[in-house]
């Protein structure tokens, strides 16, 4: 896996770069606004848009404030799933924009490559993640991040791009 990560360049598309610029000070906020969270969630997956929109400004403020205050990564991600339409992967996207140094997006492509490299040992298809798998994901990505002197986002995105480049067949079975 380290060899792959050293060979794959780190790139971001324009939409993601724009959001990084817009949210560069997100970590200094105590909570997210509805507008901010909708932008992040639509970036991750537009399919549950109506569920995202059904969260009130007050719910979003309170839930994101509680999530950002806790020290535990697992509690952060779990608390964020209290928002309608927010799964663990969507919650991980919120955390990634909140702090790309420490957080990566939990994604089928990345998990599958970690599984193929025997860095994770459960869920070979990378779907329907458990809270324990989220914890394992963050630990694995952060270990690679330290070893390669990259951010968590850079590690995750390189693995994502590698999977996209080498994928054979359908992503979802």
């Amino acid at each position: 896996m380290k060899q792959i990560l050293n060979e794959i360049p780190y790139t971001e598309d324009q939409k993601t770069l724009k959001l990084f610029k817009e949210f560069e000070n997100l970590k200094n906020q105590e909570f997210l606004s509805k507008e901010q969270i909708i932008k992040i969630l639509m970036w991750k997956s537009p399919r549950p848009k109506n569920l995202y929109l059904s969260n009130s400004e007050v719910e979003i403020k309170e839930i994101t404030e509680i999530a950002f205050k806790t020290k535990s990564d697992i509690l952060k991600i779990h608390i964020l799933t209290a928002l309608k339409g927010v799964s663990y992967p969507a919650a991980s996207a919120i955390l990634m924009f909140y702090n790309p140094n420490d957080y990566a997006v939990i994604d089928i492509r990345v998990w599958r490559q970690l599984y193929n490299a025997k860095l994770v040992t459960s869920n070979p298809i990378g779907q329907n993640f458990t809270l324990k798998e989220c914890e394992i994901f963050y630990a694995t990505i952060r270990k690679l991040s330290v070893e390669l002197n990259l951010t968590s986002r850079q590690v995750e995105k390189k693995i994502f791009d590698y999977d996209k480049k080498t994928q054979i067949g359908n992503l979802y079975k």
Side-chain angles (χ1 to χ4, degrees), residues 143-160:
K143 183 175 187 289
L144 290 168
S145 169
V146 168
E147 289 172 359
L148 297 167
N149 197 29
L150 298 169
T151 68
S152 290
R153 171 59 180 177
Q154 289 170 329
V155 169
E156 167 250 315
K157 183 62 166 63
K158 285 178 165 222
I159 296 170
F160 178 94

Side-chain angles (χ1 to χ4, degrees), residues 41-53 85 87 89-90 107-108 127 171-172:
L41 293 172
M42 291 297 291
W43 172 86
K44 176 59 179 145
S45 176
R47 290 182 301 266
K49 180 181 182 179
N50 289 335
L51 289 172
Y52 302 153
L53 292 171
S87 61
D107 183 88
I108 184 175
Q127 293 177 302
L171 180 59
Y172 296 97

Side-chain angles (χ1 to χ4, degrees), residues 95-107:
L95 292 173
M96 187 276 295
F97 279 106
Y98 174 73
N99 183 353
N101 289 330
D102 291 339
Y103 295 99
V105 179
I106 296 170
D107 183 88

Side-chain angles (χ1 to χ4, degrees), residues 42-97:
M42 291 297 291
W43 172 86
K44 176 59 179 145
S45 176
R47 290 182 301 266
K49 180 181 182 179
N50 289 335
L51 289 172
Y52 302 153
L53 292 171
S54 71
N55 292 294
S56 72
E57 189 80 42
V58 171
E59 288 171 320
I60 291 166
K61 177 188 181 291
E62 289 178 353
I63 290 168
T64 58
E65 188 172 30
I66 292 167
F68 294 168
K69 279 184 180 176
T70 187
K71 301 274 188 251
S72 166
D73 293 331
I74 298 312
L75 279 177
K76 280 184 193 308
I77 200 164
H78 188 62
I79 290 165
L80 290 170
T81 64
L83 292 165
K84 292 178 226 47
V86 177
S87 61
Y88 292 136
S92 73
I94 295 166
L95 292 173
M96 187 276 295
F97 279 106

